[in-house]
Each structure stands twice: as C-alpha cells, then as structure tokens.
Amino acid sequence: MVFAALTAPAVPHDLPAAIDKLRQARKAVILAHYYQSPEIQDVADFIGDSLELSRQAAGTDAEVIVFCGVHFMAETAKILSPDKTVLLPDLEAGCSLADACPADAFAAFRAEHPDHLVVSYINCSAAVKAQSDLICTSSNAVRLVQQLPADRPVLFAPDQNLGRWVARESGRELTLWPGGCIVHETFSEQALLRLKLEHPRAEVIAHPECLPNLLDLADFIGSTSQLLRRAGTSEASTFLVLTEPGILHQMRQRLPQKTFLEVPGQDGCSCNACPYMRLNTLEKLWQCLERMEPAIELDEAIRLKALAPIQRMLELSA
Ligand code: 13P
Ligand code: SF4
C-alpha cells in the first residue's frame, strides 16, 4: 500500500488538460450522458442520450471508450465493441432500474408469460438483455413497440412508468415488470403545481420515467436528447424540467436566452440528482485513463445473447 501510494502519480492541478493528454496517448474517446456533472460534460468528445451513446459506442474507431455514465451503459458499449477497452470511472455507478430486475427473478417472470415478446428498456443488466427479444430506449420505445406483431402479447421491463406511458402512446397492452427510477419517481406534484402558478406561460417538459401524475401535467415528454431539442424548437421561453438536472447544463449553454427551472423532489429535497451518475468525477475520469481501469468485462456467451436484441433495436431505429 505504502509503495503504491509512493509511486502513484499526484492528481494534476489542471485535470481537463491532463485528461486531454491521456485521451490522446490512449487513443480514447470520452462519451458522456447528459446526467453527468458539467465538468465531465465539458471534457467529453460526445454527449448524448442512451440511444445516441450506443450508436457512438458501436461506431467509434477509438481503441478505448471511457464511458461517463452508469454501468449498464458501459456494459452496452462493451457488448457492441468487445475488442475495445471500455472504462467506467466508478464501477459502483449502477442504476435503480437495473438493480430492481435481477436476472433469475426476470427468468421466472418470463416463464410465467411464455407466449410474450420481451421488450427491455436499455436500463438493465446484460443478463436481462440476454433474455430479451428487443431492447429499447426512452427515445425509440413507442416507435419500436408499435412495430411489434399485433397478435403477440408483450412483456415490458424494467420501468413500469415508462411502460405505462409507452402503452398509452402506442395503444398496445403491456405486461409490466414493477421497477422504477428512484430519481424520476421523486418529483413532487405539489411543487410542480406551485411552479406552474408562478410561471403560467412556462412549458413543462418531462422524461417518461416520471410517475403518471407528473406526466399528466407535462406539455412534452421525451428522452433527454428529445427534451433538449424541444427546448430549442418550442416558442416558450421558460421551462419546468422534470428530469435529472445534469441536462440543464446543456440547455443553459445552448439556449442562454431561455430560462430552465428544476422541479424539486418531495419534501423539497434535491434528490433528483442521480446518486449513481454523480459517482463519476473529473478526478476518477483522469484516474481511469491513467490506470486503464476499472474496465468492463463480460462473459462471452451472455454478451452474444445480449447483442442480438440491441442490434435489432439499432436496425429498427436507424
Ligand atoms: P435517456 O438519456 O435515454 O433519456 O435516459 C435517461 C436515463 O435515465 C438514463 O439512465
Ligand atoms: Fe438509473 Fe434513474 Fe439514475 Fe437513470 S436517473 S441511471 S434510470 S437511477
């Protein structure tokens, strides 16, 4: 331990410059989700929603992918690019949706519905993806479910809020796995109603992982990228934003003339910051490039089974 502490390089003062140097030396690309901290977004090569990040991970010719997001995202990158080194700055960066859907319990649920097509939200483990017919993200879920054969019942996992919204929008009945996002389930309806009274001309934009009573109050519902685009095309100048506040960094940077307000959580808490996403820091990003770890490793049999429904998604939403 003492030896490691003596030989480990000191944390540089200028972390963005040090990250840039290592990015070039390692031939790495840095992908970041909109829920990352502003400092991480500012050093990333590409910022996107889950679908866009999957496409980047599948198409990059970099030798190393540093995934500033959560575990299922980095795992998806490894499934798509098995020969590349995929680094996640903090391996503990999980997701309440993935955690709420263990592979063995999911297998039992599927066994109870043997005739169902299985559509899984990308926020799940590789072992759950491996048991799915089709993967979706919040930006393509409605469109993909609409394309499924009408004579087959459909099981949707693991987000029941997204599933309810997809069922409503697509007109398809879905059997839902009872999972939820701890971040999006925290928004307070009362706080939103208060903000709407204070800003009567504001547009409410929401991520479909929110609870149905909040979605009923939204003017526009979509994935993080879709919310960002909507903020640009809408005539409104003030927005009440029902998703993780990391996205506000891009909204404010790209649209400085508009106002973006966070909706508080229940009891006024600011627990709408995703505790998993925020485990990644600029220092850990530098450190993982320096040490080339932690890297995502996957069982090849699981990877191949998980790859098929992801590829189907990419083909169907091209
Ligand atoms: P999208 O970026 O695909 O909208 O996903 C949101 C999310 O919760 C990711 O964990
Ligand atoms: Fe998972 Fe919710 Fe965090 Fe997204 S915001 S990573 S769904 S816990």
Side-chain angles (χ1 to χ4, degrees):
M1 281 306 274
V2 175
F3 181 71
L6 285 174
T7 54
V11 179
H13 289 300
D14 188 347
L15 276 168
I19 288 167
D20 199 34
K21 220 166 140 188
L22 279 172
R23 166 187 14 223
Q24 290 176 38
R26 308 285 195 224
K27 297 189 171 49
V29 65
I30 301 174
L31 306 182
H33 188 267
Y34 289 118
Y35 296 165
Q36 292 293 282
S37 64
E39 311 88 79
I40 291 183
Q41 293 186 35
D42 290 348
V43 298
D45 294 294
F46 183 84
I47 315 165
D49 70 3
S50 308
L51 179 62
E52 293 164 344
L53 291 168
S54 311
R55 286 199 181 116
Q56 288 291 323
T60 181
D61 49 18
E63 289 172 17
V64 176
I65 299 173
V66 185
F67 214 115
C68 298
V70 290
H71 192 274
F72 76 80
M73 295 178 172
E75 201 174 54
T76 304
K78 185 70 180 175
I79 293 168
L80 287 161
S81 293
D83 299 332
K84 299 190 189 300
T85 301
V86 179
L87 303 171
L88 179 62
D90 190 321
L91 217 45
E92 297 296 308
C95 169
S96 69
L97 279 167
D99 291 351
C101 192
D104 50 351
F106 189 61
F109 187 62
R110 279 180 55 235
E112 288 168 21
H113 305 89
D115 54 339
H116 284 51
L117 282 172
V118 179
V119 180
S120 295
Y121 188 29
I122 198 163
N123 299 38
C124 65
S125 66
V128 167
K129 288 186 177 77
Q131 301 180 49
S132 308
D133 297 302
L134 182 63
I135 299 302
C136 69
T137 74
S138 55
S139 66
N140 60 20
V142 173
R143 222 162 4 114
L144 294 188
V145 165
Q146 279 170 336
Q147 293 178 53
L148 297 174
D151 59 345
R152 290 287 300 278
V154 179
L155 194 154
F156 188 92
D159 188 345
Q160 60 182 340
N161 299 313
L162 175 69
R164 269 192 214 102
W165 175 73
V166 171
R168 193 181 77 190
E169 296 297 305
S170 66
R172 290 293 298 256
E173 201 177 306
L174 303 176
T175 301
L176 303 175
W177 176 272
C181 161
I182 53 163
V183 174
H184 288 88
E185 286 190 338
T186 200
F187 292 110
S188 154
E189 182 178 345
Q190 273 192 343
L192 176 61
L193 290 170
R194 241 188 335 265
L195 279 169
K196 273 171 75 76
L197 279 177
E198 286 166 22
H199 305 274
R201 296 165 70 88
E203 187 170 302
V204 179
I205 55 175
H207 195 279
E209 289 175 12
C210 292
L211 287 166
N213 58 326
L214 277 297
L215 292 182
D216 285 347
L217 294 166
D219 300 301
F220 181 84
I221 299 169
S223 75
T224 48
S225 287
Q226 290 167 339
L227 298 183
L228 189 57
R229 273 198 294 278
R230 172 68 185 183
T233 55
S234 165
E235 284 179 5
S237 60
T238 302
F239 295 85
L240 306 179
V241 184
L242 286 161
T243 194
E244 215 272 3
I247 185 88
L248 299 181
H249 180 57
Q250 291 302 317
M251 288 176 170
R252 289 176 178 148
Q253 233 174 26
R254 296 181 198 189
L255 301 159
Q257 74 285 11
K258 298 197 175 190
T259 303
F260 298 96
L261 300 172
E262 272 180 60
V263 179
Q266 284 150 36
D267 306 325
C269 71
S270 56
C271 31
N272 49 3
C274 175
Y276 306 103
M277 288 276 181
R278 301 308 176 113
L279 283 175
N280 296 324
T281 61
L282 212 52
E283 185 178 327
K284 289 181 198 169
L285 167 54
W286 165 76
Q287 203 165 61
C288 81
L289 270 166
E290 169 68 32
R291 298 180 181 167
M292 292 296 279
E293 61 170 25
I296 303 291
E297 300 297 342
L298 264 176
D299 175 86
E300 183 61 6
I302 300 258
R303 187 191 75 79
L304 286 172
K305 279 190 194 155
L307 177 63
I310 299 174
Q311 275 179 331
R312 214 163 285 141
M313 167 186 83
L314 292 175
E315 283 158 23
L316 288 173
S317 51

